[in-house]
Structure formats: C-alpha cells, structure tokens
Amino acid sequence: MKRVPMTGYRAMHVIRMRANDVKKLTYSDEEILADINSAIRYLSAFLIKRRSPEMIHKKIVYDYMALPEGFHSLVGQNPAWVEDGTFRTYSGKDALVPVRYFCTRTPLASLTDPIPFPDDYFDVIVETALSLLKSSDEYDVSAETEVFDRMAKMLPGEPS
C-alpha cells in the first residue's frame, strides 16, 4: 500500500474534519496554514527545549560563515561560537571545523509543502494547530500553557 505524504493539505483536511468545518464556513485556508506553521514553530521549540537528537544538525563551518536558516543554538562544546550572525572559530578562516547545532524546522510556504517532521508527529501538529485555531477568538496565557501541556503528552517516545 502506498504511503500518502503528510502535506499541509492533508493536515488542513484533518483539521477541518475535527473542527466540523468541512464546508469551509468558519476558518479560511490562510488561517489554518498560519496555525499549522505556528504548530511547527511550537513543536520545534519544544523539541529543542527537550534537547531532542532529532533537532540536531551537523555542519562543517569556517570562520565568519553565515548561520544556516533555522539555526537555534550550538549543541555541547564546539570549537566555534556565534557572533553577529556568523560562526566564529578558533582555527582561523581557512580551517574547516565540524559543529553540531539545534535547528528549527521550516514552516510551510504553501499547503502543498510536506510537513517537516516525521509522520509520528503529524497528529501533534494537527492537534496543536486545531487548539490554536479554536482559541484564536480569545487569548489568555492559560490557553497557551494548555497547548504546550497537550503537546507534551502527545509526543511519541517521550515521557508524559
């Protein structure tokens, strides 16, 4: 059986079904895409805070090399540091240095883009986006805390 790719459209379809908005009367596609992207940013930050190995990237850098898109922070001890949006190294401009860093996932530019997490996280993205969508009419800090608490309980392979 062929696996269906987890795209923004698929997430939107599931969100609309769970929100009882299949006829597109309550939420626009743009609102749903914005909340899917917020869920992607929240999940990225949450996994980085938990120091998830899944969010670690490796790269060979040189002195004054620009930080990659989505760079969050260095992991562990590296022969490099960050200064003014660039990697700085102790070795000088010509030396190549391996570094490990946390990197956030890129939000969707359109609904045709794939969800930038493994399929195990699809439901977390959908439920988080749905919670954000439903609470968009009224904002309070407790609603955001509830979103993070629900996300923590849904993460695969993580302690709840």
Side-chain angles (χ1 to χ4, degrees), residues 106-122:
T106 305
L108 309 182
S110 76
L111 290 167
T112 58
D113 292 346
I115 299 293
F117 284 97
D119 292 353
D120 291 347
Y121 293 104
F122 183 76

Side-chain angles (χ1 to χ4, degrees), residues 48 51 70-75 82 100-103:
I48 288 170
R51 306 191 67 73
F71 176 88
H72 182 274
S73 57
L74 291 169
V75 175
V82 174
R100 294 170 10 122
Y101 60 95
F102 286 113
C103 190

Side-chain angles (χ1 to χ4, degrees), residues 25 27 31 51 54 56 88 97 109 117 122 124 129 135 154:
L25 300 174
Y27 305 111
E31 285 177 290
R51 306 191 67 73
E54 187 166 344
I56 297 173
R88 295 298 317 274
V97 177
F117 284 97
F122 183 76
V124 177
S135 68
M154 291 179 64

Side-chain angles (χ1 to χ4, degrees), residues 85-104:
T86 62
F87 286 111
R88 295 298 317 274
T89 68
Y90 295 105
S91 308
K93 185 151 178 86
D94 296 330
L96 299 178
V97 177
V99 295
R100 294 170 10 122
Y101 60 95
F102 286 113
C103 190
T104 61

